[in-house]
Amino acid sequence: MSENDQLLRLWAREVTDKYHITVQQDPYRLHYHLMPPVGLLNDPNGLIQFKGVYHVFYQWNPFETAHGAKFWGHYTSRDLLHWQEEPIALAPSEWYDKNGCYSGSAIEWEGKMYLFYTGNVKQADGARETYQCLAVSEDGIHFEKVGPVLQLPKGYTAHFRDPKVWRQGDQWFMVLGAQTVKEQGAVALFHSKDLYEWEEAGTIAGSGLNGLDDFGYMWECPDLIHLDGKDILLVSPQGLEASGRDYQNLFQSGYFAGELDEREFAYEHGPFTELDRGFDFYAPQTFMDDTGRTILYGWMGMTDEAEQHQPTISHRWVHALTMPRELHFENGCLYQSPLDEMKGLRENKLQAELVLDGAGQFPPPIGGKSIELMIELLELQGGKFTITLRNSAELIYDANKNEVILKRRNVKTGALESRTCVISSLSRIHVFLDHSSLEIFLNGGEKVFTARYFPKPDDESIAFSGEAVVRVEKWDLQGFVVD
């Protein structure tokens, strides 16, 4: 470890210790989500189960609640409920990553953990350089940087990052998010026999390919997984114009379903589908655990004009990761569902069957700040059913329009804003509230809404309205244990 690396780690530790009490006193601090100990968190990185331990790395700026030179923060767990904060995994300390250890992935090979990440360099004249780098660990905690293993190939700008690596057959593959010299988003594919020497295979997805027109100026955080008989490419395009109900956030995250030909280095796929219909979801990454589950984490945030107006910033932190979600591909749709482990947080179960007469009803036992709701819509007359969450968000099902709408107030302007999805019918609504976050799964994860929201801290009210009969199960949720 270089002297500069040691100094950066010491500085980050000092800042974390200095503001620990300030951060913990925030009423909007989440209870069962992973958050930065201080500063700004963004993309999940390096997700892996290594020697029986779950590892979640994340992009982290410990020094301010803004996007600066990124570290890799690190949490570990054996059960996804009890977490240990580990030492910083990567610090921006070397010539090839001095302006940020950007996003990447982790793999295990022959008993070692390998981290692949993008080294970001900005020159004095504003020019950007990008290097795909490697760090190796025997124990999954302490990493030795190897340095760059892949330089920027021809045909792309320096917006070339976020390596995701996996093994298929007798070789390794890597996908990278890219911008072509025509300033169009793309995914580039590479392959290797030894993890150190990489050969370019070409662009496998992007504008002008597989029937796509111009589709954004940059594609970030690609992740190519084999799931239930399909090869699914997850990607986060930047620069998509809003179109009706779609692409309403500043940046998008979604997937293509298709087939990868690893011999011809070709990927044929269908249309793009957004992964999440809410306000705050970006840069998702997956991994497969020892049981064969494909598990996804996303960044529960967005780099938009409202970011620096979030109230947590006064307590020296901003953003979090989503709950972990299990993925399945069924009938042409990617389903996301909460992991079974989350049931281990439940306590104080309540059940009720409510006959609603159209006016808003506030069942007293149903409220809370950190709760799980399972709502079955048994009957619906008049076409609309609404859930009001702590007087700060509304979920509206309009059966006449086959729409579900999530509404909240913008933290910068105070204006009411909404996100909408189309759904053929709705029978089951699964809601997770956590002090300042919402994650809503419809029909077993067919559609998902993720959002941050900031109710008055003492408001725990949940109201239902519409002419309907609903069955409700409610649990209080304990918080994660973080050491």
Side-chain angles (χ1 to χ4, degrees), residues 283-345:
Q285 186 177 118
T286 71
F287 70 106
M288 183 179 289
D289 76 353
D290 291 348
T291 69
R293 298 180 298 180
T294 298
I295 298 172
L296 175 147
Y297 278 90
W299 172 30
M300 195 157 56
M302 185 64 59
T303 304
D304 56 21
E305 62 181 7
E307 181 180 43
Q308 287 304 306
H309 295 268
Q310 293 199 24
T312 66
I313 285 176
S314 63
H315 285 263
R316 308 289 302 201
W317 74 281
V318 66
H319 299 315
L321 298 182
T322 66
M323 293 163 43
R325 305 170 182 181
E326 184 174 1
L327 301 185
H328 289 289
F329 191 76
E330 302 174 20
N331 302 318
C333 178
L334 189 64
Y335 282 75
Q336 305 173 64
S337 57
L339 294 189
D340 283 344
E341 282 89 341
M342 298 302 294
K343 295 175 182 177
L345 302 177

Side-chain angles (χ1 to χ4, degrees), residues 96-390:
Y96 49 80
D97 61 16
K98 66 179 183 179
N99 296 112
C101 298
Y102 277 15
S103 292
S105 58
I107 59 98
E108 179 179 1
W109 183 243
E110 296 181 340
K112 296 180 181 180
M113 187 191 297
Y114 293 75
L115 298 186
F116 291 88
Y117 70 99
T118 298
N120 183 47
V121 176
K122 296 179 181 177
Q123 301 296 0
D125 61 0
R128 180 190 293 265
E129 297 175 6
T130 182
Y131 303 93
Q132 309 317 313
C133 305
L134 173 62
V136 184
S137 174
E138 298 276 356
D139 61 4
I141 305 299
H142 305 94
F143 292 88
E144 180 179 350
K145 289 182 178 179
V146 175
V149 295
L150 179 62
Q151 306 285 337
L152 178 66
K154 293 180 179 180
Y156 302 100
T157 74
H159 291 286
F160 189 82
R161 53 183 174 265
D162 312 332
K164 181 67 190 294
V165 176
W166 75 99
R167 188 168 180 81
Q168 190 163 329
D170 62 350
Q171 60 183 325
W172 298 95
F173 289 89
M174 176 194 293
V175 283
L176 283 137
Q179 180 185 69
T180 69
V181 292
K182 295 180 179 180
E183 296 189 351
Q184 294 179 319
V187 172
L189 179 68
F190 294 78
H191 59 101
S192 172
K193 292 289 187 182
D194 64 1
L195 297 172
Y196 290 83
E197 300 290 333
W198 292 87
E199 184 177 346
E200 185 176 5
T203 302
I204 60 167
S207 297
L209 299 175
N210 288 286
L212 283 181
D213 294 324
D214 189 8
F215 206 72
Y217 60 79
M218 171 67 192
W219 286 14
E220 292 194 310
C221 302
D223 188 353
L224 189 54
I225 57 175
H226 189 74
L227 185 67
D228 299 319
K230 280 288 183 180
D231 294 314
I232 309 294
L233 175 64
L234 283 69
V235 71
S236 295
Q238 298 181 332
L240 301 185
E241 296 292 332
S243 175
R245 305 177 184 89
D246 298 332
Y247 315 148
Q248 291 296 312
N249 294 328
L250 176 62
F251 302 135
Q252 320 308 321
S253 291
Y255 68 93
F256 300 95
E259 303 290 339
L260 175 68
D261 186 334
E262 71 271 18
R263 294 182 179 178
E264 296 296 326
F265 306 125
Y267 179 67
E268 295 185 5
H269 63 73
F272 181 77
T273 302
E274 289 184 82
L275 268 167
D276 194 286
R277 304 300 304 193
F279 299 92
D280 298 291
F281 182 90
Y282 193 68
Q285 186 177 118
T286 71
F287 70 106
M288 183 179 289
D289 76 353
D290 291 348
T291 69
R293 298 180 298 180
T294 298
I295 298 172
L296 175 147
Y297 278 90
W299 172 30
M300 195 157 56
M302 185 64 59
T303 304
D304 56 21
E305 62 181 7
E307 181 180 43
Q308 287 304 306
H309 295 268
Q310 293 199 24
T312 66
I313 285 176
S314 63
H315 285 263
R316 308 289 302 201
W317 74 281
V318 66
H319 299 315
L321 298 182
T322 66
M323 293 163 43
R325 305 170 182 181
E326 184 174 1
L327 301 185
H328 289 289
F329 191 76
E330 302 174 20
N331 302 318
C333 178
L334 189 64
Y335 282 75
Q336 305 173 64
S337 57
L339 294 189
D340 283 344
E341 282 89 341
M342 298 302 294
K343 295 175 182 177
L345 302 177
R346 291 172 173 175
E347 59 183 8
N348 304 325
K349 181 179 180 180
L350 292 171
Q351 292 178 285
E353 188 166 304
L354 307 176
V355 180
L356 307 177
D357 60 7
Q361 296 186 21
F362 296 80
I366 303 300
K369 302 177 185 179
S370 179
I371 63 173
E372 177 185 354
L373 296 172
M374 184 71 76
I375 302 162
E376 293 183 69
L377 194 55
L378 302 179
E379 297 180 25
L380 178 63
Q381 299 176 0
K384 278 193 177 182
F385 173 65
T386 300
I387 309 170
T388 302
L389 302 164
R390 302 179 65 196

